[in-house]
Amino acid sequence: MHLAEISKRALHFFESRDHTVVPSAPLIADDPTLLLINAGMAPFKRYFLGEATAPFPRATSVQKCVRTVDIEEVGKTSRHGSFFQMFGNFSFGDYFKERAIPLAWEFMTTPTTDGGLGLAEDRLWVTVYQDDPEAEHIWRKLVGVPASRIQRLGMADNFWSMGVPGPCGPCSEICYDRGPEFGQDGGPAANDERYLEIWNLVFMQNTRGEGPAKEGYPILGGLPARNIDTGFGVERMAALLQDVPTIFDIDTTRQILALAAELSGTTYGKSVNTDVSLRVVADHILASTMLIGDGVTPANEGRGYVLRRILRRAVRMMRLLGTDDPVVGELFTKTIDVMGSTYAELIEDRARIHSLGEAEEGAFAKTLKAGTAIFDVAASKAAESRILPGDKAFQLHDTYGFPIDLTVEMAADAGLSVDREGFALRMQEQRARAKADARRRKSGGRGDIDVYRELLAAAPTEFTGYTELESQARVQGVIRDGERVSSASAGEIVEVVLDRTPLYAEGGGQESDAGRITADDVELEVLDVEKIDRKLWVHRVRVVAGEIAEGRNVVARVDSEWRTGARQAHSATHIVHAALRQILGPTALQSGSLNRPGYLRLDFAWQRPLSSETLSEIEEVANRAVRQDFPVGIEYMPLPHARELGALALFGETYDEDVRVVEIGGDWSRELCGGTHVERTAQVGALTFIGESSVGSGLRRLEAHVGLDALRFLASERAMAVKVADLLHVPTAEISDRVSGIIDELRTARKELDTLRAEQRAHLATVLAGHAVTVNGVRVVAEQVAGPSATTELRDLAVQTKAVLEGSPAVVVLAALGSDRPIVVAAVNQQARRLDVAASELVQAAVGALGGRGGGKRDLAQGGGGDARAIPAALESVLAMVARAATQ
């Protein structure tokens, strides 16, 4: 049974049993505690936490997930993958164990001809939490599983929580006996490879306190509503039903793996190491395609780093398998072909996915060269100890993406071992930092979430800001340092929740409104406005005067000048986005934005810098749209209808079933947006670009001023042009020609100067060669020179001096003062190296006297120190070392 068929059957089965089918959410989590969706229940988390009321009592979904905690295990085990799909059926205070358990069993054991999976009942085992007799009773009495195939396990295995205080509850797992060829008998408690977990039922009925993540934490009591979170990994189920040994051998992933084998000229199934590498490639390419498809772009932090790490790891594995040519394009094509029938958006967005992936592969090819150069330097410094330090191995891993296995292999080729313990220590430190960051994210940067939960339950905030700038309101709550208080006095900074507000909360790239909240004797300055669960407006305020108390009637006012500027900037962002796509094509999709009064910033997918001509063309299209005074219309409609109309959605944003569509000039620009906008485009005023830059591989950023700020910027530019023209004594129209002439003159003068310096250096090299002394048959120049002040200049001089001395064993060691600190360079020709004279060892001797550090290769090395007075002693030590080496 194909993977897509398994998903289709599961959704149909539960839909026919009154579950609402919910499409997969994007991998970009609408949750400050998560970088990426990593579990099937994640999109429903706020319903389980009680932060929002679920719009349906029962739901079912197949959710895309990415999990990289066990990335080093991918390919080595039969079931670890970074991308996977989770089928789930959920109950939000509706049914509980007595319904969830029979439903799972029914779907798995119903014959395939009747819409089930057709698994043999006598191959299925069950585990329950050791203190959950209720679940065991249901399995035995309602389902009919023999007691001999039910096992009780402890909290670590069969009790679920999110790892922090909050909802928790016992679990029950269904396991499939794959047979004696997979290990000893005895049930899941004895062997989880043979008895493979294929379904997990979570009975969310308790709340937990502080304590360890897995077990040993206190159970504080019961939840007001009991929930069900249950389901299975679709890939794992497919491997079982297709009777293949691993999730990499199922009908989808195996096609990607086969292409990787073909491109690398390898064969799957003949070598353990090769098989692991091919599995890693298939898994990581699949995960990368899905991440880019959901709007993630490669970056050095956050979810972008997750993508960069796994995509580069796939490319690196292909290099190790023997391919030097680009491979991402072909592998992405295969992945889109394989997954496109389930996720049609991959096909629609094929061009952008390819563009970003291939750009990242090209960037990594350059990084790979840089990392190799870093390794070479580190290896030369480790030549004496024969051990590559753990911190260098970690630097190669963390900065350049070298896996430790690759570093170990390269070190072995250089005759070195790697300090694995030092590497492991730094990895442990990094994981500790990551865990601390995860704990910080889990708090959401706020105090007790129960404060907001109470206010949400009371009533969501009514946002009035689309139609008015001033609203009568009532204070629903005052929050200080995460705790609800009755009042706050002048000078305090607190959070205030109102029942109604015209103040826009930050979102969709638009900064929150500035404004005031007042009463007869109270004045609050609004510092920021945020939304909780997209329904509760939280105003961060400074109490300027009086005392604000819960229940107080107030007036909330938006700063009208601020709102005017914000509307101009937000509408201008839509205009620039449309102009970009008109000039560059449909793949130039917005991937992020920021707009505030007078300024906009727009990030978009593109591989190369925009020329000044292209920028001018985009700017002109945008300003023509402003001059044409297009109407700006707002419509509310179901999300599917908006997509049919071609409305663009911003990657990473989450939308309700009914969405707000902003149209500019009809279909000239049509986007989903919750921001505030002008009524007609002429109200935007002037628009001028102030910058275009790279913000990551395959991602560009445009910045612009809008309205009065644009006019001020242009006036400032004009004043600067006039000043430059006065300095150059030319009209402003001739500035460019005059500056070009000056640059040509400088370039010519620089070439003449370089030629003169080269002649001087050649002459000095000849003079220095004439100072050579013979030490045991080796011509040695060991002198301090006054000319060069940079290491590169000194190195060139040493190499030229060595060239003059060719024909006999020669050593050149030169010292100079560079930026008030001594530098030293050693160059040794081939004849001297045969006498066991090494430049790296000579530099080490010299910098030892200088109190510094150095390194390099046997023919050329360099270093520096801190004590310039020791230069004569350093040069003497070089002569002594040459004398010793040449006599051995």
Side-chain angles (χ1 to χ4, degrees):
M1 189 182 298
H2 288 172
L3 181 137
E5 174 65 17
I6 296 170
S7 298
K8 184 178 178 182
R9 280 174 176 258
L11 292 174
H12 177 73
F13 178 90
F14 283 89
E15 183 180 25
S16 68
R17 285 151 180 84
D18 302 322
H19 289 67
T20 299
V21 176
V22 179
S24 174
L27 286 165
I28 299 177
D30 181 26
D31 184 337
T33 71
L34 292 174
L35 281 178
L36 297 162
I37 293 290
N38 62 0
M41 61 80 68
F44 306 108
K45 195 176 88 173
R46 66 182 190 271
Y47 305 146
F48 289 129
L49 290 174
E51 296 173 358
T53 302
F56 28 66
R58 305 178 179 187
T60 184
S61 69
V62 174
Q63 174 61 46
K64 297 176 285 187
C65 302
V66 166
R67 192 179 298 168
T68 58
V69 175
D70 299 317
I71 192 170
E72 300 297 338
E73 297 302 312
V74 171
K76 297 178 183 177
T77 71
S78 63
R79 56 183 187 267
H80 278 101
S82 55
F83 172 82
F84 57 96
Q85 298 168 89
M86 281 297 298
F87 166 79
N89 59 283
F90 309 93
S91 166
F92 310 106
D94 185 25
Y95 62 80
F96 202 51
K97 298 177 189 178
E98 73 288 342
R99 183 64 175 141
I101 290 174
L103 276 174
W105 187 265
E106 181 186 358
F107 176 61
M108 283 200 298
T109 59
T110 296
T112 56
T113 53
D114 296 328
L117 297 181
L119 294 176
E121 293 189 18
D122 60 359
R123 302 288 291 272
L124 298 177
W125 286 63
V126 171
T127 66
V128 296
Y129 178 51
Q130 60 189 10
D131 295 327
D132 188 11
E134 181 186 6
E136 183 175 2
H137 175 79
I138 294 171
W139 280 116
R140 292 181 62 184
K141 300 301 181 181
L142 295 186
V143 178
V145 178
S148 59
R149 294 210 308 273
I150 301 175
Q151 294 183 328
R152 293 190 175 199
L153 297 178
M155 180 175 274
D157 296 302
N158 274 65
F159 203 90
W160 173 88
S161 83
M162 293 191 297
V164 294
C168 62
C171 303
S172 184
E173 295 177 351
I174 306 174
C175 304
Y176 185 86
D177 180 4
R178 298 197 289 171
E181 63 270 28
F182 288 93
Q184 66 182 30
D185 60 10
N191 187 330
D192 64 358
E193 277 293 327
R194 172 174 171 174
Y195 300 90
L196 184 68
E197 176 211 330
I198 56 173
W199 198 303
N200 186 23
L201 299 102
V202 175
F203 311 124
M204 210 177 295
Q205 63 189 53
N206 305 110
T207 181
R208 60 159 286 183
E210 293 283 357
K214 282 282 189 181
E215 57 183 330
Y217 47 80
I219 305 300
L220 303 180
L223 290 172
R226 301 187 303 175
N227 305 308
I228 286 293
D229 165 20
T230 170
F232 61 83
V234 183
E235 285 78 6
R236 187 179 296 190
M237 188 69 79
L240 180 67
L241 295 175
Q242 294 173 21
D243 193 23
V244 293
T246 77
I247 61 172
F248 309 99
D249 296 289
I250 63 175
D251 60 295
T252 52
T253 315
R254 182 59 186 264
Q255 295 184 56
I256 307 168
L257 188 152
L259 178 59
E262 179 186 335
L263 293 174
S264 60
T266 57
T267 303
Y268 184 59
K270 290 192 174 182
S271 162
V272 173
N273 290 338
T274 298
D275 288 357
V276 169
S277 295
L278 288 170
R279 291 169 186 164
V280 169
V281 171
D283 171 85
H284 287 11
I285 287 293
L286 174 56
S288 298
T289 306
M290 303 305 292
L291 283 167
I292 296 175
D294 275 352
V296 181
T297 55
N300 288 328
E301 59 184 9
R303 58 178 68 100
Y305 178 73
V306 173
L307 169 60
R308 171 160 287 168
R309 181 186 180 197
I310 60 176
L311 182 54
R312 290 188 172 194
R313 196 165 186 256
V315 172
R316 191 171 57 242
M317 287 293 181
M318 289 297 288
R319 294 293 180 94
L320 291 175
L321 288 170
T323 178
D324 292 323
D325 297 325
V327 296
V328 165
E330 291 185 69
L331 290 170
F332 272 17
T333 294
K334 174 61 70 175
T335 305
I336 294 170
D337 291 343
V338 167
M339 301 300 292
S341 60
T342 303
Y343 301 104
E345 63 269 20
L346 296 175
I347 297 174
E348 298 169 3
D349 210 17
R350 184 190 295 268
R352 188 187 64 86
I353 294 171
H354 271 277
S355 178
L356 282 173
E358 290 167 3
E360 182 65 13
E361 181 180 27
F364 181 52
K366 299 175 183 177
T367 301
L368 198 59
K369 292 180 181 178
T372 303
I374 294 294
F375 173 84
D376 290 342
V377 172
S380 67
K381 292 181 179 180
E384 184 174 341
S385 66
R386 316 308 295 171
I387 299 175
L388 189 75
D391 60 343
K392 286 298 179 184
F394 178 75
Q395 179 189 7
L396 289 166
H397 165 84
D398 194 51
T399 305
Y400 297 97
F402 280 42
I404 186 63
D405 293 341
L406 175 59
T407 303
V408 168
E409 182 179 329
M410 293 171 63
D413 292 341
L416 306 174
S417 61
V418 176
D419 175 14
R420 297 294 294 265
E421 290 186 3
F423 173 81
L425 176 63
R426 281 157 181 80
M427 286 294 292
Q428 185 178 354
E429 292 171 348
Q430 185 191 58
R431 290 191 185 104
R433 290 192 296 270
K435 287 181 180 178
D437 183 58
R439 286 193 295 270
R440 178 187 58 78
R441 287 201 309 272
K442 282 182 178 178
S443 71
R446 293 187 173 276
D448 187 351
I449 192 68
D450 287 339
V451 173
Y452 307 103
R453 192 179 300 147
E454 291 170 4
L455 292 166
L456 266 170
T461 305
E462 178 190 354
F463 177 61
T464 62
Y466 291 139
T467 58
E468 60 187 36
L469 299 182
E470 179 178 312
S471 299
Q472 300 288 331
R474 182 180 178 84
V475 178
Q476 299 290 87
V478 180
I479 301 165
R480 182 198 299 121
D481 298 328
E483 294 185 1
R484 196 165 174 179
V485 295
S486 59
S487 63
S489 303
E492 291 190 84
I493 294 179
V494 295
E495 292 177 342
V496 171
V497 176
L498 305 178
D499 63 341
R500 307 174 72 245
T501 182
L503 290 142
Y504 184 82
E506 181 178 351
Q510 182 174 329
E511 289 192 357
S512 61
D513 278 331
R516 299 266 164 170
I517 299 173
T518 60
D520 290 341
D521 55 350
V522 177
E523 182 178 3
L524 311 178
E525 177 189 3
V526 178
L527 306 176
D528 189 24
V529 189
E530 295 183 18
K531 280 184 285 188
I532 302 294
D533 193 38
R534 295 181 286 163
K535 295 178 181 177
L536 195 73
W537 267 242
V538 178
H539 307 75
R540 186 167 178 267
V541 302
R542 176 186 289 108
V543 184
V544 178
E547 181 180 74
I548 186 67
E550 188 171 314
R552 186 73 185 267
N553 291 322
V554 295
V555 176
R557 294 185 179 88
V558 177
D559 182 322
S560 59
E561 282 295 315
W562 177 279
R563 175 65 74 81
T564 296
R567 293 168 68 210
Q568 288 177 315
H570 204 151
S571 296
T573 303
H574 285 224
I575 291 170
V576 170
H577 189 202
L580 267 174
R581 290 167 55 78
Q582 184 173 322
I583 300 301
L584 301 181
T587 61
L589 275 171
Q590 177 181 337
S591 62
S593 67
L594 171 69
N595 40 76
R596 59 174 181 260
Y599 171 84
L600 72 85
R601 185 182 77 202
L602 186 147
D603 297 341
F604 62 100
W606 200 249
Q607 301 303 324
R608 54 191 178 275
L610 302 184
S611 67
S612 58
E613 292 80 8
T614 301
L615 277 173
S616 296
E617 192 174 0
I618 296 168
E619 188 179 68
E620 180 168 343
V621 170
N623 277 299
R624 282 183 179 275
V626 171
R627 192 181 70 176
Q628 286 176 271
D629 199 22
F630 286 141
V632 179
I634 309 292
E635 284 191 61
Y636 292 87
M637 62 186 70
L639 180 58
H641 181 48
R643 293 193 184 280
E644 287 175 11
L645 291 176
L648 297 176
L650 181 64
F651 283 124
E653 290 291 314
T654 301
Y655 300 95
D656 296 323
E657 292 184 10
D658 288 325
V659 293
R660 185 171 183 261
V661 179
V662 176
E663 294 181 339
I664 297 177
D667 61 1
W668 190 84
S669 169
R670 183 179 284 130
E671 297 190 31
L672 307 186
C673 180
T676 61
H677 289 272
V678 297
E679 285 80 26
R680 302 190 67 87
T681 56
Q683 294 170 356
V684 167
L687 185 154
T688 184
F689 291 149
I690 59 173
E692 190 271 345
S693 60
S694 169
V695 287
S697 178
L699 200 63
R700 308 295 300 179
R701 171 170 292 172
L702 270 178
E703 296 176 90
H705 280 317
V706 180
L708 284 176
D709 287 80
L711 296 176
R712 294 186 186 109
F713 174 80
L714 292 171
S716 173
E717 293 285 291
R718 180 179 60 193
M720 183 182 297
V722 170
K723 184 175 182 179
V724 172
D726 288 344
L727 291 171
L728 296 175
H729 304 295
V730 296
T732 54
E734 296 178 13
I735 289 176
S736 179
D737 291 340
R738 182 69 186 107
V739 170
S740 295
I742 292 173
I743 290 174
D744 289 340
E745 292 171 9
L746 288 173
R747 190 177 290 118
T748 300
R750 188 176 290 115
K751 287 182 179 179
E752 292 174 353
L753 182 59
D754 290 342
T755 300
L756 179 60
R757 285 175 174 169
E759 292 172 354
Q760 290 176 334
R761 192 162 54 245
H763 173 72
L764 182 55
T766 302
V767 171
L768 289 170
H771 297 171
V773 297
T774 302
V775 179
N776 292 336
V778 178
R779 304 286 301 283
V780 180
V781 175
E783 291 197 20
Q784 179 177 353
V785 292
S789 59
T791 305
T792 52
E793 295 176 0
L794 192 64
R795 185 170 58 241
D796 291 344
L797 180 58
V799 170
Q800 283 189 265
T801 305
K802 181 186 71 171
V804 177
L805 295 169
E806 283 296 342
S808 61
V811 169
V812 177
V813 179
L814 302 179
L817 283 177
S819 301
D820 297 326
R821 61 186 299 273
I823 53 176
V824 61
V825 172
V828 177
N829 68 7
Q830 187 174 3
Q831 295 98 316
R833 293 200 301 278
R834 292 193 188 117
L835 298 175
D836 204 25
V837 179
S840 55
E841 295 175 359
L842 295 175
V843 164
Q844 288 293 344
V847 296
L850 295 172
R853 300 172 60 186
K857 299 182 179 180
R858 292 181 61 80
D859 62 332
L860 186 64
Q862 63 191 47
D867 187 359
R869 295 170 301 177
I871 289 178
L875 297 174
E876 286 295 329
S877 67
V878 167
L879 290 170
M881 177 169 279
V882 173
R884 289 195 301 273
T887 57
Q888 292 177 354

